[in-house]
């Protein structure tokens, strides 16, 4: 009987410990990215959403606009390896490429409307945790059919338009999956 209680305790506590470790990792472990290239392409935003973004971002800084647009992106998308047609459903399934494109398109609408010297650019990168390339680590552990999803990652750089200096980099897909918005 004692043995069964230990197994039950372990079975119940392991997921909680893993979730706690993941939360601590998201919040405190040093992370970064290596930009490989920019990702071309934008998302056509419906007129009603454009108006909402313009009104909702009045008097905001570039950083605040990025955060605002990240929240909208998370509301409109649900992470998946399968893609839906955007705006066809209330929430569309998407992967990191679409998250980055939607977020940058929303930000650029607000930057242009409010004459802010900033631009949002989707980028392809490798993610690092404690100096280790996690894309390479994950790919090495996955079956062949899933590797293409983790070879690299898409996120967004917010840059000064005038001199291309990066103000911040943000990952709306991570924000949606973790519930935390953490800029790089």
């Amino acid at each position: 009987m004692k043995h069964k209680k230990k197994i039950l305790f372990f079975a119940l506590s392991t997921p909680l410990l893993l979730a706690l470790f993941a939360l601590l990792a998201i919040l405190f472990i040093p992370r970064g990215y290596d930009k490989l290239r920019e990702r071309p392409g934008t998302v056509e935003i419906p007129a009603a959403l454009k108006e909402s973004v313009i009104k909702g971002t009045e008097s905001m800084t570039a950083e605040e606009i990025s955060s605002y647009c990240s929240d909208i992106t998370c509301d409109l998308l649900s992470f998946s390896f399968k893609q839906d047609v955007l705006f066809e459903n209330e929430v569309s399934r998407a992967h990191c490429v679409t998250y980055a494109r939607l977020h940058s398109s929303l930000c650029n609408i607000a930057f242009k409307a409010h004459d802010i010297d900033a631009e949002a650019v989707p980028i392809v990168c490798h993610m690092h945790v404690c100096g280790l390339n996690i894309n390479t680590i994950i790919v090495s552990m996955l079956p062949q059919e899933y590797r293409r999803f983790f070879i690299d990652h898409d996120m967004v750089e917010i840059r000064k338009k005038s001199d291309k200096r990066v103000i911040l980099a943000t990952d709306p897909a991570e924000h949606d999956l973790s519930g935390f918005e953490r800029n790089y």
Side-chain angles (χ1 to χ4, degrees), residues 36-56:
L36 302 174
R37 65 185 183 282
E38 293 180 5
R39 169 85 65 189
T42 60
V43 172
E44 185 63 36
I45 306 298
L49 182 54
K50 280 183 185 178
E51 287 180 38
S52 175
V53 167
I54 291 168
K55 287 180 185 174

Side-chain angles (χ1 to χ4, degrees), residues 158-175:
I158 308 295
R159 306 188 292 214
K160 298 232 3 125
K161 200 170 187 175
S162 57
D163 64 10
K164 307 294 185 203
R165 183 176 43 88
V166 175
I167 300 168
L168 65 93
T170 189
D171 188 347
E174 178 188 329
H175 177 193

